Amino acid sequence: MERAQKLLNTTFGYEDFRHNQADIIQSVLSGADALALMPTGGGKSLCYQIPALLLDGVGIVVSPLIALMQDQVDALRQLGIRADFLNSSLDAQSQRDIEASLLSGEIDILYVAPERLVTERMLSLLDQSTIALFAIDEAHCVSQWGHDFRKDYQQLRILHDRYPNTPRIALTATADQRTRDEIIAQLALQNADVYINSFDRPNIRYSLNEGQNARAQLWEFLEQEHAQDAGIIYCLSRKKVESTAEWLVEKGRTALPYHAGLPAEMRREHQSRFLREEGIIMVATIAFGMGIDKPDVRFVAHLNLPKSIEAYYQETGRAGRNGEPANAWMAYGLQDVITLRQMVQGGDAEEQFKRVSHQKLESMLGLCELTSCRRQALLAYFGETQSQPCGNCDNCLHPPETWDATVSVQKALSCVYRTDQRFGVNYILDVLTGKKNERIQSFQHDKLSTFGIGTELNAVEWRSLFRQLIAMDFLHIDVDGYGALKLSEKCRPLLRGEETLQLRRREKNVTKEKAGKKKVPVRGVDQELFDALRACRMAFANEQGVPPYVIFHDSTLIEIAKRRPQSMKDLGTVSGVGEQKLKRYGQKFISVVLEFPLHPLLDNPFSDTVNSTLSLYAQGKTADKIAQERSLVISTIYSHFSQAIAVGLLDVREVTQLTDVQFQEITATMNLLESEAESALKPVYEALDEAYDYGVLKCVQAAL
Ligand code: ADP
Ligand code: ZN
């Protein structure tokens, strides 16, 4: 383990192991099998990379995503690790070259697609090589219960039979108990050490909104929270993907579509731009995202409901892998609920499969309509209990109101009943609200006792009510009957008046309390340097044709901007700067740091706003001018100055331009009144006949 720790520090440039990385590595090093369950971004890769380097021979990594192997290999090579991959994207000659290197022991880590691994040719190559370990990434693909089932994965059991003494480590980010059991059974991991990390992603804020006017809501969300950030927007259909991407482009954002119907070449290009450029929004169907390990995706938005909590959690998990704050945002509406219900109930799938899908959708809808903490519910679904509400989801931040909807619900249900359970939501709505159209008249439904009795709610509110009734399974949707609503058994007690029902009140489009200040990664005074560091990173990335984060992660650049290391030794202590990267990029990044010296005045621990004032002062501007420029009152500017005066960064006389006489007058008065606390300035102010600004007095006080 000492050697593992050393590798972590020198090769990877990280200080400490996270979570149970150390235990997992220890298991594998001791020759045991391991199953590691960790949330996305938890740091699974190190768990097999480090043992692969320490054990004799090559580490074989099974990964389902051919398209991403190149990036994974690039990232390892940046660290000086001899990595390669074998898949169908290579030409015959390259394949032979890599096979030769494999046989001569020149590869540390080799990525292989599952279908390739189980071929006789590959297995016979492996027979002739020394193998350090097998890592099975995205191991949930082996499970039929899971949502990414890959038949090839089931054949991986052969590794156990054929190489019983080689340690195997299976890794996944999504695993409820059932998937977990299936992984163990299918891969013969009964004797494996199992490591389960918390699945919580505390940096992700969940919010699930009712989807009236989803686009407008989305735009507001993007403007307020992610005006320049990279993110993913998921839509259900290809058409919606394309129209949404076009709309965003019109709005001035860089947005790219991605779905299975686009030419492979275009998909590749869009994926690669998303990875390599900054601030790109990918608008995609669920065809996009598996294995994407771009660390700085700041938001994942859903414009449609996912089919299951597993899918939702995996998709949203692509946000904020670097641990910085990120948003998982969704807008869903009545139509989503209906469409999904129909999709799950219809089709020719086997009954068993339909039942499973139905159950999963049920849980997803439950999450949507929940009025308590979303995170607690999500984690509970994965078998984890969190005793306290999280404080970082929409329900925690803006607790929803509920109302006693019993009477309205009774009206709605009996209207469904009286129209013989043969009509869809829109028709029922028209009857309830008393619309006299031809269709209704032809069925004589304007004569029903329920015609026009629903005036207490408007159409939008009724739709919200129906959505909740469908989501809660009071109403079924008849797939064969063109979406007709049918009453379920659950309705009886309600209709008989034996039960009451509380529903979520529809959120008025109140301007939600501003989500605080816009989040920025670095202090205002470090912004210029940070931008220059990013440009430097981009230049290296372009030169080598790799994504910027393969050079350095944002978190590394942020730390550099904050600490401004000026020597190789200092830079080497920044997290994410290992030996190899230090050697390759160190000088260049240091020269960037040196280009942006921090004014001594700004070398302080004060807040951003104080520093904005100080940096304007450093440019030679007066208090008046700064107040004007920043639209702040002059007292505020002086009070910013006073902080710098108190620690000796500014000279009070210079800042306030007080004459000797004035200065002495003030200090004398202060001494006389012995005011110390800020609140005690009032008597001084009055004693001086209100001749000086409060802020000026504060500056003098700070100097004393
Ligand atoms: P996963 O595969 O579990 O989603 P990764 O292995 O890609 O996650 O790791 C996520 C990020 O965290 C990567 O950028 C990785 O370099 C970083 N990381 C992993 N382990 C550590 C550690 N011990 N200290 C600091 N950063 C780490
Ligand atoms: Zn919460």
Side-chain angles (χ1 to χ4, degrees):
M1 277 318 283
E2 235 166 76
R3 288 166 62 217
Q5 177 70 40
K6 183 127 195 296
L7 263 184
L8 179 74
N9 302 147
T10 55
T11 303
F12 292 90
Y14 296 135
E15 192 71 26
D16 300 303
F17 283 114
R18 275 190 194 157
H19 312 299
N20 37 30
Q21 278 175 332
D23 295 336
I24 297 170
I25 289 170
Q26 174 113 58
S27 272
V28 178
L29 286 179
S30 74
D33 291 338
L35 170 59
L37 306 165
M38 259 192 221
T40 314
K44 284 185 284 300
S45 327
L46 280 186
C47 298
Y48 60 81
Q49 287 164 350
I50 289 186
L53 295 173
L54 292 176
L55 293 170
D56 239 10
V58 57
I60 304 288
V61 184
V62 187
S63 160
L65 291 144
I66 292 183
L68 295 165
M69 288 183 182
Q70 182 73 59
D71 282 350
Q72 288 168 322
V73 164
D74 284 343
L76 287 173
R77 288 189 178 163
Q78 289 286 331
L79 304 173
I81 295 168
R82 299 177 303 173
D84 257 308
F85 64 85
L86 266 178
N87 65 38
S88 51
S89 74
L90 296 169
D91 60 42
Q93 185 55 47
S94 317
Q95 296 193 22
R96 272 194 300 277
D97 291 348
I98 292 169
E99 288 173 6
S101 323
L102 175 65
L103 288 177
S104 56
E106 288 161 29
I107 300 180
D108 299 318
I109 296 180
L110 180 68
Y111 286 83
V112 189
E115 61 276 11
R116 149 94 46 161
L117 184 67
V118 296
T119 58
E120 225 9 83
R121 182 185 174 89
M122 189 71 216
L123 291 171
S124 93
L125 279 169
L126 293 182
D127 288 344
Q128 301 164 59
S129 317
T130 311
I131 303 169
L133 58 84
F134 289 106
I136 301 166
D137 207 2
E138 313 282 359
H140 62 279
C141 289
V142 80
S143 155
Q144 265 174 307
W145 164 262
H147 49 99
D148 288 322
F149 177 55
R150 297 274 227 126
K151 209 154 179 60
D152 301 316
Y153 259 71
Q154 295 202 327
Q155 294 186 41
L156 293 175
R157 186 193 183 91
I158 200 172
L159 299 176
H160 168 64
D161 306 335
R162 193 149 167 158
Y163 309 99
N165 298 321
T166 307
R168 290 173 303 142
I169 169 170
L171 311 109
T172 177
T174 25
D176 47 290
Q177 188 59 46
R178 204 157 151 182
T179 313
R180 218 172 281 172
D181 295 343
E182 230 183 306
I183 294 175
I184 292 175
Q186 290 287 347
L187 296 176
L189 285 170
Q190 287 79 3
N191 295 324
D193 297 338
V194 178
Y195 295 95
I196 302 173
N197 252 317
S198 168
F199 271 67
D200 190 14
R201 302 284 310 279
N203 61 318
I204 298 185
R205 173 174 298 179
Y206 299 98
S207 63
L208 291 76
N209 310 280
E210 290 188 54
Q212 295 298 327
N213 210 349
R215 260 193 191 177
Q217 284 193 47
L218 174 65
W219 184 248
E220 191 184 322
F221 163 72
L222 291 177
E223 280 290 275
Q224 269 192 8
E225 310 243 347
H226 302 287
Q228 291 170 9
D229 294 333
I232 307 172
I233 299 176
Y234 282 110
C235 306
L236 199 59
S237 71
R238 299 172 181 188
K239 220 170 97 196
K240 190 158 171 185
V241 162
E242 290 183 11
S243 66
T244 305
E246 273 166 31
W247 164 73
L248 283 169
V249 169
E250 270 165 33
K251 288 274 205 180
R253 298 291 300 247
T254 314
L256 302 171
Y258 190 105
H259 59 70
L262 294 173
E265 186 50 42
M266 185 188 271
R267 285 202 311 255
R268 253 198 306 281
E269 189 206 314
H270 287 181
Q271 173 167 317
S272 134
R273 282 189 62 191
F274 179 68
L275 296 177
R276 282 164 173 70
E277 294 175 24
E278 292 179 4
I280 294 212
I281 299 179
M282 191 65 119
V283 187
T285 60
I286 51 167
F288 178 75
M290 203 213 300
I292 292 285
D293 52 7
K294 186 175 164 67
D296 53 356
V297 175
R298 291 269 65 82
F299 68 90
V300 169
H302 281 91
L303 280 179
N304 291 107
L305 263 177
K307 281 200 290 263
S308 66
I309 289 188
E310 285 96 332
Y312 173 72
Y313 206 62
Q314 194 181 46
E315 283 149 26
T316 55
R318 291 171 186 142
R321 294 176 72 125
N322 58 4
E324 308 287 325
N327 276 302
W329 183 95
M330 172 153 93
Y332 70 101
L334 173 60
Q335 194 50 49
D336 275 309
V337 177
I338 294 178
T339 309
L340 274 186
R341 274 260 195 263
Q342 281 180 316
M343 265 170 63
V344 165
Q345 288 164 29
D348 328 309
E350 284 170 36
E351 268 316 304
Q352 157 74 5
F353 183 77
K354 275 193 194 171
R355 239 192 338 270
V356 169
S357 311
H358 178 78
Q359 241 171 296
K360 291 190 168 192
L361 177 56
E362 220 53 55
S363 311
M364 184 65 221
L365 292 173
L367 179 70
C368 291
E369 303 297 346
L370 197 70
T371 51
S372 55
C373 176
R374 310 268 195 201
R375 190 181 312 271
Q376 278 182 317
L378 276 168
L379 291 175
Y381 184 82
F382 294 111
E384 255 182 66
T385 40
Q386 208 179 40
S387 57
Q388 294 295 320
C390 75
N392 192 27
C393 72
D394 53 352
N395 286 349
C396 281
L397 293 165
H398 317 273
E401 279 179 48
T402 56
W403 60 296
D404 184 344
T406 313
V407 174
S408 298
V409 167
Q410 284 168 342
K411 289 180 186 175
L413 295 178
S414 69
C415 192
V416 170
Y417 180 73
R418 294 203 188 283
T419 51
D420 300 324
Q421 311 188 53
R422 287 172 46 215
F423 297 89
V425 177
N426 291 328
Y427 186 87
I428 304 286
L429 253 170
D430 287 346
V431 176
L432 271 173
T433 51
K435 259 201 200 136
K436 269 207 176 152
N437 60 33
E438 242 175 69
R439 199 151 167 247
I440 288 181
Q441 282 170 335
S442 74
F443 285 111
Q444 303 213 330
H445 286 155
D446 51 342
K447 308 272 185 330
L448 288 178
S449 59
T450 52
F451 182 78
I453 55 167
T455 48
E456 74 269 36
L457 303 179
N458 64 28
V460 172
E461 289 163 336
W462 275 117
R463 291 180 80 82
S464 164
L465 178 141
F466 273 102
R467 191 197 70 239
Q468 296 181 64
L469 291 181
I470 295 169
M472 292 163 153
D473 227 8
F474 285 102
L475 289 172
H476 287 170
I477 296 173
D478 183 358
V479 189
D480 304 322
Y482 304 101
L485 296 177
K486 297 215 179 296
L487 302 182
S488 76
E489 275 303 305
K490 255 177 111 175
C491 292
R492 273 175 208 278
L494 259 178
L495 281 168
R496 288 204 208 105
E498 294 162 7
E499 262 178 20
T500 61
L501 185 62
Q502 295 281 324
L503 290 184
R504 233 182 133 99
R505 194 182 289 290
R506 218 185 72 77
E507 262 169 55
K508 304 246 169 44
N509 276 344
V510 283
T511 32
K512 290 198 192 127
E513 117 205 14
K514 274 256 172 95
K517 281 177 278 176
K518 278 204 176 156
K519 290 153 219 142
V520 281
V522 295
R523 301 188 308 163
V525 295
D526 299 329
Q527 186 66 46
E528 241 187 318
L529 170 59
F530 183 58
D531 291 341
L533 292 169
R534 292 214 295 188
C536 176
R537 173 176 69 174
M538 188 57 100
F540 277 122
N542 287 340
E543 195 179 288
Q544 300 175 51
V546 298
Y549 57 79
V550 166
I551 309 290
F552 282 133
H553 281 182
D554 279 358
S555 54
T556 301
L557 295 194
I558 291 169
E559 196 178 330
I560 295 177
K562 205 176 283 173
R563 286 179 35 192
R564 301 182 183 238
Q566 314 212 341
S567 68
M568 290 290 268
K569 187 158 166 282
D570 278 354
L571 182 59
T573 64
V574 171
S575 180
V577 185
E579 277 174 354
Q580 198 67 20
K581 290 189 176 177
L582 184 65
K583 207 155 56 191
R584 288 170 82 162
Y585 310 123
Q587 288 302 349
K588 186 77 197 146
F589 278 91
I590 287 170
S591 74
V592 174
V593 169
L594 292 175
E595 261 175 65
F596 294 87
L598 188 61
H599 194 286
L601 186 52
L602 303 178
D603 191 3
N604 65 53
F606 304 143
S607 68
D608 238 21
T609 178
V610 173
N611 272 301
S612 298
T613 294
L614 295 180
S615 85
L616 290 172
Y617 184 77
Q619 292 165 26
K621 294 182 175 148
T622 63
D624 278 327
K625 188 92 188 35
I626 298 171
Q628 205 181 4
E629 203 165 301
R630 300 201 61 202
S631 311
L632 292 172
V633 296
I634 188 110
S635 312
T636 307
I637 302 299
Y638 278 121
S639 113
H640 292 166
F641 287 155
S642 72
Q643 294 193 32
I645 292 171
V647 297
L649 284 170
L650 278 180
D651 178 74
V652 61
R653 301 291 296 278
E654 210 173 285
V655 172
T656 55
Q657 307 268 320
L658 292 169
T659 63
D660 285 347
V661 176
Q662 289 171 324
F663 187 69
Q664 275 154 20
E665 183 187 12
I666 297 174
T667 49
T669 313
M670 280 183 177
N671 287 334
L672 201 68
L673 296 174
E674 278 185 12
S675 69
E676 274 152 17
E678 187 186 329
S679 55
L681 272 179
K682 193 156 187 256
V684 180
Y685 181 69
E686 285 166 354
L688 290 164
D689 290 337
E690 308 185 0
Y692 301 96
D693 186 278
Y694 261 110
V696 171
L697 298 183
K698 218 181 214 176
C699 286
V700 176
Q701 188 181 43
L704 290 181

